[in-house]
Amino acid sequence: RGAVEMVEALTLMPNASAKLQMAGGMPPDLEAKLKEMQGWSQVRFHGWAGRPEVANLLAVCRAGLVLFHPEPNHIRAQPNKMFEYMAAGLPVIVSDFPLWREIVEGADCGLMVDPLDPQAIADAMQWILDHPADAEQMGRRGRKAVEQQYNWEAESENLVALYRTLIS
């Protein structure tokens, strides 16, 4: 899910004080690989985190990264993580997949990157740090999109409409 590229991107940023907060499960072999990378010194790995801990982490972050690799099961996915970042008011830096582009550009809430290109990831992270007012506006627009469109309340109307079509 782009962890290697994220950690490598840290070494390509002019702002060496940038930190990457990572939470969740990680296979031991991937963790060992990441720990050997130069950028690992800029990573704060929290392991599994409950909702309160995640909320606390999101509150100190400047952006949310969703950098899935371009594999068939990812390209059309709608990852909860992206919408959670948007709901938290964070601008997102996401893989440049058509569906994700439609969501992110439609809400004007983040930046699209090639998830396999650490330099592109570094450039996007640096842009967020260099343009805090613009990034904050992106985050607000993402939160508004979740409140108005990307939520279960709005989706339930689509699901009910589909059911009505199917039973008619």
Side-chain angles (χ1 to χ4, degrees), residues 40-100:
W40 187 254
S41 63
Q42 293 171 253
V43 174
R44 300 296 171 258
F45 180 57
H46 302 273
W48 283 107
R51 289 203 180 273
E53 293 87 5
V54 170
N56 289 336
L57 283 173
L58 294 178
V60 299
C61 290
R62 300 282 301 276
L65 304 174
V66 188
L67 300 172
F68 292 6
H69 287 180
E71 297 176 14
N73 61 328
H74 293 158
I75 292 172
R76 297 279 311 152
Q78 293 187 26
N80 288 341
K81 182 190 311 193
M82 180 169 64
F83 297 105
E84 288 172 354
Y85 294 154
M86 290 167 61
L90 292 174
V92 293
I93 299 171
V94 302
S95 301
D96 193 358
F97 301 154
L99 176 60
W100 296 15

Side-chain angles (χ1 to χ4, degrees), residues 100-116:
W100 296 15
R101 177 175 286 280
E102 181 181 321
I103 293 167
V104 172
E105 286 188 348
D108 191 16
C109 66
L111 304 171
M112 312 297 300
V113 297
D114 176 349
L116 303 177

Side-chain angles (χ1 to χ4, degrees), residues 130-164:
D130 290 345
H131 301 89
D134 293 329
E136 186 177 325
Q137 289 300 318
M138 285 179 168
R140 285 186 183 140
R141 289 189 293 266
R143 182 174 175 90
K144 183 177 178 182
V146 169
E147 290 171 350
Q148 294 180 347
Q149 183 177 0
Y150 299 111
N151 60 68
W152 285 113
E153 181 84 25
E155 287 300 313
S156 69
E157 295 170 14
N158 295 331
L159 186 59
V160 169
L162 172 65
Y163 289 157
R164 286 190 179 122

